[in-house]
Amino acid sequence: MVLSQIISLITTAISFGTVIMYGSLGEILTEKSGHLNLGVPGIMYMGGIGGLIGAFLYETHTASPIPFVGLAIALASTLLCSLVGGLIYSFLTVSLRANQNVTGLTLTIFGSGLANFFGGSLSKLAGGVGQISVASTSSAFRWTQHISDRIVASLSAKAAAGGGFMKFLASAADTVDRVFLNYGFMVWLALAIAVVLSIFLTKTSRGLNLRAVGENPATADAAGINVKSYKYLSTCIGAMISGLGGLYYVMDYIKGTWANDGNIEAVGWLAVALVIFATWKPLRSIWGAYLFGALYWLYNFIPGLTRSSQEIFKMLPYIVTIIVLISVSLRHKREDQPPTSLGLSYFREDR
Amino acid sequence: MQRNEVVTDRPVSGAPAVRMEHITKTFGSVIANDDVTLDIYRGEILSLLGENGSGKTTLMNMLSGIYFPDAGSVSVDGRPVSIKSPKDAFDLHIGMIHQHFKLVDILTAAENIVLGLNESYMLNLKRVHSEVVNICKKYGFELDPDKKVYDMSVSEKQTLEIIKVLYRGADILILDEPTAVLTPQETEKLFGVMRNMKADGKSIVIITHKLHEVMSISDRVAVLRKGRYVGDIATSQTDPQQLTDMMVGHAVKLNIERPEPKDLRECLKVENLSVVDIDGIRKLDKVSFTAYGGEILGVAGVAGSGQKELLEVIAGLQPAQRGSRVIYTDRNGKVSSLIGKSPLEIKKLGVHLAFVPEDRLGMGLVGNLDIADNMLIRTYTEGSGMFVNMKRPRKLAQDIVKEFEVVTPGITTPVRKLSGGNVQKVLVGREISGDPSLMMSAYAVRGLDINTSYTIYRLMNEQKARGTAVIYVGEDLDVLLELCDRIMVLCGGRLSGIVDGRTATKEQVGLMMTHIGETGKEADE
């Protein structure tokens, strides 16, 4: 592989990995409360289509849309839609104590159906498949990229006038820009969420309480922790974080349009796998997400692959997850195990 | 017959720290506490004594906010209070250490201690650490605040529970059978700590049924029997015999049939049976006895004295220690050893074993399956090829429903939807249908109404008449004394002795249940 290909793989890995990272960060928070939400793909779908609808309606009904207003509307509608998904899931599994696997899978089917239905409607409104464009909102999602681009541009303008060292500096800056800075702000937001989540879970009182709820709700209950509200909050906030992944995918990754290609669902399952890969630790899910992104797109960078052998390469993230699962089980380290009461509903009077 | 019922002799004067007045609590039709009035004083250790099911734990659970009384009032330091949750109890400085520890395994001791307190937004484990070290120094505990709970021994976990309660500022501590899981050395250590806490002015309630512990640790004893308050007495002014009398009360006539055993033959010989459980706790210690076909052998003992392990070893569900022997002799005189065999192997040996376990819907039946499918569990290995024979189980299910008058919409109703008595009838019916030569039952009438209970007694007697060896683990001494031909008494996993059911008295059995006395010596070798 030549340098340009490596750079291209890294940028692909980071931008695609970010979608997975959002999904898995939300799911980590949810699972820490003892709820296995297999509805992540559905919730990402709901978040994605919600943001797109908000931005689309704003842009089509305004003569000259302001990019950052579009961004705010898209963000708000994504959070709202994924919150609805989280509320459906938590009402069913926390209050009604429905089976979590069944509820989650149903939510995935529901979310993808809902999103593809409205995606189709939007396409029709826009005048045909692939015609949806929320260009100005989408460009607002890449404002960080515009800033770094401008800095590099001014640097290379100076370099053109300067000597050899300046030229080297400019080309180095260009490479750094293309590899590490060529992203919209949501890539950085994902990193921030991972760090904040990690601090919350390990260093704060409420994080400790949440971990206790996921490990042993009866004990948490006896310690005076409101188990239900912890479960509701972490499931709903988790869903909102996952939903942001859908928004990032729609607005940044595919640049403000809609495709009924089932990619979000694929990413959603990768996110669920990543939770296991990261052994329920937000910081591990950062590099895990980038690794998954790189593995998923690796086939593009290997010459001479046929259609079918490409699919084998796409399996790599899952194979890696299985290997991690096996090695974690073999090592039997208690800290790497899933929350003990994951998947079990809690009812105080059950004894 | 109400002789000696209420003893009022308070060694402590002054106003009580806690006063519970006319407390009544019912669960469905079961009365757990009936008009109980109890005072707890500062700077004393109070023993709450009573048999299983006498309502000790329920009463204390109402003080710690787990349950709420149906009637009656609670006052703390003279102020009437309403304790609706564990948090309310903490706020009143009442803390309870439950028999089943409430700890999160994956967290450290310090993390478990501050759980739910939300003292500050960011955790300050250093401060907790030093606070815990202070508490340990003050009362003589030994605990590493940074140790994870999953690395702790039972005794360390208990220490952690006590420190957790103290950290939350409790000065009224309730310990629910704290010594049940401890070795004698650990018990001594715990008692030392309890004495230190008492010297510090704390009130301590210890729920127990071990008389020697009552005598050695407490200042005052309050006794409950069948949910009712019997009385309290200063420990220095009483003796185990009087306490036993207060605890078991006087025999009640039940008029259960007891035909004379005939054609006794040796069926099961158990020798030197020892069992150590997964946590390394010795559940049975060199128990030896013989069960004869044609008689009912009762097993008495407070809960957790090794009854469950005893039955499970015989049924092939638990491993026994080396040197244990379980010899089975069938009706034709064929002898085989059951130790180390699985239930299936035991069945293949030709042992017709009927087992009615304590946990009916956990071990006995599958709640989600219907009656017919539950019959199949015993016979699924029969039949040819890969298909099971459904005809026989269906027929059996119909017979049982008819014969035992099981109230059910049909044999396709999931067992979990039946009432407790009907579940038990289905279970006993299935077990008896196998034409058993050895029948074991644990708490067969627990939770059943009078009529169903008598049906069960009648079925036991029928088996006895057929020459089956019946082992009946029970908790109601009155029933044991009227139903069983012989009663073996277990105490803390050891055999206290075997007495004749026709001549033994309730007081005698009660005393044997609570400590190994002279009566048990000869049988205990």
Side-chain angles (χ1 to χ4, degrees), chain A residues 110-232:
Chain A
F110 172 74
S112 83
L114 186 89
N116 286 321
F117 173 76
F118 282 110
S121 317
L122 279 191
S123 296
K124 209 161 191 190
L125 282 178
V129 175
Q131 296 299 305
I132 305 172
S133 170
V134 284
S136 76
T137 304
S138 173
S139 73
F141 274 87
R142 269 171 278 124
W143 58 268
T144 44
Q145 202 175 336
H146 301 319
I147 293 172
S148 63
D149 281 351
R150 225 171 293 156
I151 295 171
V152 173
S154 74
L155 210 64
S156 44
K158 272 183 204 154
F165 176 70
M166 280 304 278
K167 276 209 177 89
F168 167 75
L169 202 66
S171 80
D174 185 52
T175 310
V176 168
D177 175 50
R178 277 198 293 151
V179 179
F180 295 111
L181 301 172
N182 198 15
Y183 312 103
F185 81 97
M186 285 193 78
V187 169
W188 310 112
L189 181 66
L191 294 175
I193 291 176
V195 172
V196 169
L197 206 55
S198 176
I199 292 172
F200 171 75
L201 285 173
T202 54
K203 299 266 188 283
T204 69
S205 298
R206 285 187 173 75
L208 177 70
N209 294 352
L210 176 62
R211 281 189 285 150
V213 167
E215 287 292 332
N216 191 338
T219 296
D221 200 6
I225 296 170
N226 188 337
V227 173
K228 256 190 186 177
S229 78
Y230 269 88
K231 280 177 180 268
Y232 259 97

Side-chain angles (χ1 to χ4, degrees), chain A residues 199-200 202-206 208-209 211-212 215-216 218-225 230 334-336 351, chain B residues 67 86-87 90 102-107 111 114-123 148 150 164 168:
Chain A
I199 292 172
F200 171 75
T202 54
K203 299 266 188 283
T204 69
S205 298
R206 285 187 173 75
L208 177 70
N209 294 352
R211 281 189 285 150
E215 287 292 332
N216 191 338
T219 296
D221 200 6
I225 296 170
Y230 269 88
R334 291 292 292 263
E335 281 72 13
D336 285 344
R351 294 195 304 148
Chain B
Y67 298 139
K87 202 174 171 304
F90 285 141
K102 294 197 180 294
L103 297 169
V104 181
D105 278 354
I106 193 87
L107 302 182
E111 285 172 327
V114 290
L115 193 61
L117 290 181
N118 295 340
E119 291 171 319
S120 53
Y121 187 79
M122 299 304 280
L123 275 177
K148 297 258 182 177
Y150 60 71
K164 194 165 108 183
R168 279 152 208 246

